[in-house]
Amino acid sequence: NGSVYDAVSASMDGAVNSAMRKISTMLMCVVKRTHVSFVSDGELQKTAQPDDFISVKQVFSGGKKYTANRFDAVDGVLYCSDIPSGTADMFYYAYGEDVSELGDNDVLSFDDAHCDILAYGAALELCGEAYPGNYDKYVVIATEYDERVANALLYGGGTDKVANSLYAKRRLI
């Protein structure tokens, strides 16, 4: 019989991680760079994917740029038919950090606009536990979350174009 505060506190890391994973996948907002080594498997070149890998953005190898449509990701391995064997620079879309592993002074890889979306996403994850059956509160949070996600998809992020459509007479975006 703990308080709402206890329930929310115990679930906070999981809620933030879940929301961060969804936002990272949906908005492709975390780009990382790594060095990979492609080796031949006889027919294709292959390399292991990083643990936080969502998809390829681009790869540079041998003075050439290879775009995402040239790669296939299968079971943690990245395949390409026309990239040479050897070391390459890979830029890829990644999942955000596991917040339970962050220290007090660590910074998230999300920019401010995506952190804003993250706050609403985590609130949605927690809403059912903190306020079971309170659909009004859930709808308010879901609407604010959806507006921010739509803004990021349409305009590339930022909160300056987010309109409070829930209480407006008409949709303002």
Side-chain angles (χ1 to χ4, degrees):
N1 288 335
S3 68
V4 169
Y5 175 80
D6 292 338
V8 168
S9 294
S11 302
M12 185 63 74
D13 284 354
V16 172
N17 284 336
S18 176
M20 186 177 292
R21 194 165 181 88
K22 289 173 188 172
I23 293 163
S24 296
T25 304
M26 197 171 19
L27 301 178
M28 301 293 196
C29 54
V30 178
V31 178
K32 293 187 178 179
R33 178 184 182 187
T34 190
H35 299 288
V36 293
S37 294
F38 283 92
V39 294
S40 177
D41 72 352
E43 198 175 311
L44 300 170
Q45 304 298 328
K46 67 180 184 175
T47 189
Q49 297 172 3
D51 291 337
D52 59 353
F53 180 86
I54 296 174
S55 71
V56 171
K57 182 174 185 192
Q58 55 197 14
V59 176
F60 294 92
S61 179
K64 290 185 177 179
K65 175 181 170 182
Y66 298 86
T67 54
N69 61 346
R70 296 179 132 166
F71 296 90
D72 289 311
V74 180
D75 295 330
V77 179
L78 195 61
Y79 295 93
C80 183
S81 62
D82 58 350
I83 197 167
S85 293
T87 303
D89 278 336
M90 180 171 70
F91 291 84
Y92 66 100
Y93 296 106
Y95 295 112
E97 304 80 9
D98 181 340
V99 295
S100 64
E101 297 175 4
L102 295 177
D104 291 341
N105 296 321
D106 290 334
V107 178
L108 294 177
S109 56
F110 280 17
D111 64 17
D112 289 346
H114 291 96
C115 282
D116 185 51
I117 297 168
L118 178 61
Y120 283 95
L124 272 176
E125 296 282 337
L126 295 168
C127 189
E129 191 171 337
Y131 303 103
N134 188 336
Y135 298 111
D136 292 338
K137 191 173 293 287
Y138 182 85
V139 167
V140 169
I141 296 169
T143 301
E144 293 298 325
Y145 173 77
D146 289 346
E147 290 288 334
R148 283 160 175 77
V149 169
N151 181 62
L153 288 169
L154 293 172
Y155 303 110
T159 57
D160 58 325
K161 292 184 174 63
V162 174
N164 186 353
S165 65
L166 186 64
Y167 300 105
K169 291 181 182 178
R170 61 182 174 78
R171 188 173 181 91
L172 300 174
I173 291 181

